[in-house]
Amino acid sequence: MEKSLLLKRIWVLILLSSWIGQQSIAQDSAAARLFGGETVSPISVAVSGKLALCSHSEKGSIILDVTGGKAPYTFKWNTNETTQNRSNLFAGTYTVNITDADGVVHVERIVVQPPYPLILNPLEKRDASCGSGADGYAKIGVKVGRGEPYRISWSHGLEDQWEASNLKPGSYTVTVTDMFNCDVSISFEIESETEGMSLSESIKQPDCSSAGSGEINLNVTGGSAPYLYSWSHGPSTANVSGLAPGDYSVMITDKTGCSIQANYSLQAPSAIEVSASVDDPTCGDQNDGSISLDIQGGQAPYTVSWSTGQSGSSLSNLGAGTYQASITDAQGCTVQQTVSLNQSSGIDLRIQEIQPVSCFGGNDGTASIEIEGDKKGLNILWSDGVEDVLKRTDLAPGTYTVTATNHSGCEMTQSLTVESPNELTARIESALDVDCAVGSIQGVAWVSIQGGTEPYTIAWGQSGASNREINFSQTTTLQVTITDAKGCVVSAESKVDFPSNTTSGGRLDFNFRKLAITSEPEVQVDEEIIFESEISEEFIAWEWSFGDGNQSVDKDPIHIFEKAGIYEVTLTGYDIYGCSSVEINTVQVNIPQEMVVIPNAFTPNGDGLNDTFMPKLKSVTDFSMQIFNTWGERMFTTTQKEDKGWDGIYNGQLLPAGNYLYNITYSTPEGEIIHRTGGVTLIR
């Protein structure tokens, strides 16, 4: 009882402190001020963020939304911070002076609440009466907390209720959250006094024999027998029959009052639909017709019986006539299908000879056909409109269809293709044979031939040369004519360029420098070095060799030397003729030497000079620094070489002037670990 009273008193004091802390102590006038004829409202601050801690491991935050006054604003906290918003805060009171552009000051005091326990009363619960019931109950309450409002969330979806009813057997979790978003959860199990009922069924759908031939047979397990059955259409038995298509429901109750409900839907049998695909017998008395049935609807599998005594959905080797099929599905539903095959008189059409065109694009192809059988009333039709012709000449390449029909309507169709040789093409290609050493150039041209029929006859322009390859020594237009073995002809023409001389002697030079700007001029191991080239436009390609086995094709590459030494860096440039020029420079690479300079005092007064304590470092790795007061308490620690250093503040408080101790550890480039300790004076 005393502990509970003490907690309540502590909570009242915390709430009173929070209320006082959140009030603005504003030095600016509460009334609007007049500035240059313009009315300026007082400074107003809305405070948000994480203003209470749920545990000692958490940190708070403060977010300020400032309005009124005259922007811009400046901020000065009691911990010397000058940012508008704060984070990573311990519990406590934080005061900020907000000054607007007119110099009007507004003081805001904010409290970050310390952790406060949220303790729930023991869970009250009542189990469900049976496994299939939904009459379980649970209740929770807050024993110790910060006070209303609380948010309650149950795992089955219930919100902001201290009690949950109509619960089925199962596992549940309830979470209570206070006004500062601190929460606690309880998990529990709703059990059942008896085993729930389970249901299985056997269903017979209505068939074609009768609309009321459906059945539903139930099998119930679990619960406590005997069971009572109540069907939506009246019966009170486990099994019902004589059912027409429709929806049915049943409620089953055991002797303890537990119940279970089930719903069923019976469907009428779907109609059987049949379509036939037929191939009539060919002309004459041939028995080469066929029938194939496509059966849909009803219930598979299907049984098909034919008037011929055969069975199955497909028949073959049939003559002209009428055929009847009887189709029965798995439910005994039956339909009839009648199919007729027609008779015709036959003819036979055959392709005799096809000659391709002689040259690509020509139209001197030929084709001939032969027809046998019943030629009475014969009509021949070609796909390009020509009629009653057995032999065709002057045909262009392509596919033709020819159809023959006799007096009885018997018809036969064949297709034929008149081929064409590949197109005869020629292309003049050229190259320059350059001797980079003496600067001489020789032009070479040749003709590339595709298609046609070999051998080819070649004739070059006015010279009449018959070789595939010729030489040239000036800019000109070349012409060539090609004739293949079948007399097909093609011509080609191309302009060739001949330069007056090579482009040797173009400018090629380069410099190098460190990519990072440092006070150390020498090139060190593992530093990024950029090589800046000066390459004339005559060069179309270039290559770098850095002397350490590495190469690059970038114009201005960046390279890192991994070992100390003297390296010859070579830049090679190539012109369009493959001729090259070379530029070589020497790079001296040194091993870095570490340097650590530690000051013995600093003055954190905000003047921008010596405001923090941090050693000057060069060529060191794995750096760490710790600061202690004379009592051995650690005031500051860092492992970052680029850290701004210690500013004389610990836990947001300014430390007094005096002597402090440092412990610095670092590694040299050779891997040696160095420890250095000493004193530093904080001057205010």
Side-chain angles (χ1 to χ4, degrees):
M1 182 67 180
E2 292 179 356
K3 181 178 179 181
S4 175
L5 181 59
L6 178 60
L7 287 173
K8 290 181 179 179
R9 288 176 177 175
I10 291 173
W11 178 234
V12 169
L13 289 174
I14 290 173
L15 288 178
L16 181 59
S17 173
S18 174
W19 181 84
I20 295 173
Q22 306 302 337
Q23 307 307 308
S24 298
I25 302 175
Q27 296 178 3
D28 58 329
S29 172
R33 3 188 254 276
L34 192 63
F35 180 82
E38 179 183 356
T39 300
V40 180
S41 61
I43 296 175
S44 176
V45 181
V47 180
S48 59
K50 187 169 183 57
L51 302 178
L53 307 183
C54 297
S55 67
H56 291 283
S57 62
E58 283 191 334
K59 297 294 178 64
S61 65
I62 299 173
I63 299 174
L64 303 180
D65 183 11
V66 184
T67 58
K70 188 173 182 182
Y73 311 100
T74 59
F75 301 84
K76 181 69 174 181
W77 294 82
N78 60 334
T79 55
N80 286 337
E81 295 286 340
T82 58
T83 59
Q84 178 173 346
N85 301 319
R86 300 292 303 279
S87 61
N88 201 31
L89 300 176
F90 293 100
T93 300
Y94 296 86
T95 303
V96 59
N97 289 355
I98 305 172
T99 306
D100 72 358
D102 292 339
V104 177
V105 178
H106 175 96
V107 180
E108 191 80 16
R109 183 172 292 122
I110 305 104
V111 175
V112 176
Q113 300 290 339
Y116 190 84
L118 177 57
I119 303 174
L120 302 183
N121 289 319
L123 175 77
E124 300 179 27
K125 73 161 189 169
R126 182 179 65 246
D127 291 330
S129 59
C130 58
S132 55
D135 55 355
Y137 168 84
K139 177 181 179 181
I140 61 167
V142 175
K143 182 176 183 181
V144 177
R146 290 188 171 103
E148 296 286 351
Y150 294 104
R151 300 194 306 277
I152 306 102
S153 176
W154 298 79
S155 57
H156 65 294
L158 183 65
E159 297 287 340
D160 296 331
Q161 298 293 326
W162 296 104
E163 300 180 52
S165 56
N166 301 323
L167 299 179
K168 296 181 179 180
S171 297
Y172 297 84
T173 299
V174 58
T175 301
V176 178
T177 306
D178 69 11
M179 67 180 72
F180 293 111
N181 291 321
C182 298
D183 60 54
V184 64
S185 297
I186 294 179
S187 296
F188 61 94
E189 188 86 15
I190 293 295
E191 300 177 348
S192 62
E193 297 179 1
T194 61
E195 178 187 1
M197 290 184 288
S198 60
L199 176 66
S200 61
E201 63 281 322
S202 173
I203 299 176
K204 179 180 180 296
Q205 299 287 349
D207 56 30
C208 298
S209 62
S210 171
S213 57
E215 296 180 6
I216 303 176
N217 300 313
L218 303 181
N219 180 33
V220 182
T221 58
S224 299
Y227 310 110
L228 298 180
Y229 301 88
S230 176
W231 289 88
S232 56
H233 63 297
S236 58
T237 58
N239 304 323
V240 290
S241 58
L243 302 178
D247 296 327
Y248 300 87
S249 64
V250 60
M251 177 69 73
I252 306 166
T253 307
D254 72 359
K255 73 175 183 179
T256 67
C258 290
S259 61
I260 185 173
Q261 182 173 348
N263 300 303
Y264 303 97
S265 180
L266 299 186
Q267 307 294 328
S270 61
I272 302 175
E273 298 180 359
V274 183
S275 60
S277 175
V278 302
D279 287 325
D280 289 327
T282 57
C283 297
D285 298 326
Q286 298 295 320
N287 292 327
D288 56 359
S290 65
I291 301 173
S292 179
L293 300 182
D294 180 23
I295 307 172
Q296 303 291 334
Q299 182 174 330
Y302 310 101
T303 300
V304 182
S305 299
W306 292 88
S307 55
T308 61
Q310 297 171 285
S311 61
S313 61
S314 298
L315 295 182
S316 59
N317 301 320
L318 301 177
T322 300
Y323 300 85
Q324 186 164 344
S326 178
I327 300 99
T328 305
D329 72 357
Q331 294 181 318
C333 301
T334 301
V335 296
Q336 306 294 324
Q337 182 75 17
T338 300
V339 184
S340 296
L341 299 183
N342 298 317
Q343 187 179 34
S344 60
S345 299
I347 55 175
D348 186 20
L349 186 155
R350 294 193 296 270
I351 305 298
Q352 271 196 322
E353 182 182 11
I354 302 174
Q355 290 291 335
V357 297
S358 56
C359 294
F360 181 85
N363 58 352
D364 56 351
T366 63
S368 60
I369 62 171
E370 182 182 35
I371 298 177
E372 296 182 351
D374 185 0
K375 300 181 182 180
K376 184 177 180 181
L378 182 66
N379 173 259
I380 301 170
L381 177 64
W382 294 77
S383 56
D384 60 347
V386 176
E387 294 186 276
D388 298 331
V389 176
L390 295 177
K391 184 173 183 178
R392 297 289 306 275
T393 59
D394 301 328
L395 293 177
T399 298
Y400 298 84
T401 300
V402 58
T403 301
T405 308
N406 65 8
H407 69 102
S408 63
C410 186
E411 181 180 281
M412 189 169 187
T413 300
Q414 291 280 15
S415 294
L416 58 90
T417 300
V418 177
E419 303 287 349
S420 171
N422 292 334
E423 182 179 6
L424 177 63
T425 62
R427 184 178 69 256
I428 297 175
E429 300 182 23
S430 62
L432 296 174
D433 187 2
V434 180
D435 187 339
C436 297
V438 300
S440 65
I441 304 175
Q442 176 66 59
V444 180
W446 63 94
V447 60
S448 295
I449 306 172
Q450 299 289 334
T453 305
E454 296 190 71
Y456 307 111
T457 301
I458 302 171
W460 287 91
Q462 296 179 351
S463 68
S466 59
N467 299 325
R468 282 211 176 192
E469 182 180 295
I470 63 171
N471 296 326
F472 62 91
S473 58
Q474 61 181 3
T475 298
T476 186
T477 299
L478 300 178
Q479 295 178 331
V480 67
T481 300
I482 310 299
T483 305
D484 73 356
K486 291 187 176 181
C488 303
V489 179
V490 67
S491 296
E493 181 176 288
S494 177
K495 181 180 179 181
V496 292
D497 294 320
F498 191 85
S500 58
N501 51 34
T502 63
T503 59
S504 60
R507 179 168 178 76
L508 187 69
D509 197 3
F510 70 91
N511 294 308
F512 63 90
R513 61 177 174 84
K514 295 183 180 183
L515 188 61
I517 299 176
T518 67
S519 60
E520 181 64 41
E522 293 84 2
V523 175
Q524 306 286 354
V525 171
D526 294 331
E527 283 189 319
E528 289 185 323
I529 307 301
I530 182 169
F531 292 85
E532 298 173 320
S533 63
E534 187 175 346
I535 303 174
S536 298
E537 63 181 10
E538 292 88 347
F539 296 100
I540 62 171
W542 43 85
E543 182 180 53
W544 294 83
S545 175
F546 299 106
D548 59 356
N550 293 301
Q551 296 179 324
S552 175
V553 295
D554 293 336
K555 190 172 185 298
D556 297 310
I558 297 173
H559 184 64
I560 297 174
F561 293 98
E562 298 179 352
K563 295 181 180 180
I566 299 175
Y567 297 91
E568 280 193 351
V569 179
T570 303
L571 171 60
T572 304
Y574 301 92
D575 63 15
I576 61 174
Y577 305 111
C579 297
S580 63
S581 295
V582 176
E583 179 67 20
I584 300 175
N585 282 333
T586 300
V587 180
Q588 172 78 44
V589 180
N590 300 317
I591 297 176
Q593 298 296 322
E594 78 278 1
M595 180 184 71
V596 178
V597 178
I598 305 174
N600 58 11
F602 71 108
T603 57
N605 54 12
D607 62 355
L609 299 174
N610 201 27
D611 282 334
T612 61
F613 173 70
M614 186 70 184
K616 302 299 182 182
L617 306 172
K618 173 184 176 184
S619 300
V620 301
T621 58
D622 300 327
F623 167 80
S624 68
M625 180 178 73
Q626 294 177 316
I627 306 296
F628 302 87
N629 63 15
T630 55
W631 296 97
E633 295 178 292
R634 185 167 58 190
M635 304 288 101
F636 176 77
T637 183
T638 182
T639 58
Q640 304 296 321
K641 293 187 294 182
E642 303 300 328
D643 197 295
K644 68 178 182 179
W646 182 43
D647 56 4
I649 295 176
Y650 175 65
N651 283 344
Q653 302 296 324
L654 300 177
L655 294 179
N659 294 324
Y660 295 85
L661 303 176
Y662 62 80
N663 184 355
I664 297 175
T665 302
Y666 61 89
S667 298
T668 68
E670 292 77 18
E672 181 183 3
I673 299 176
I674 306 297
H675 300 281
R676 296 183 64 174
T677 59
V680 60
T681 301
L682 190 158
I683 302 172
R684 293 199 182 277

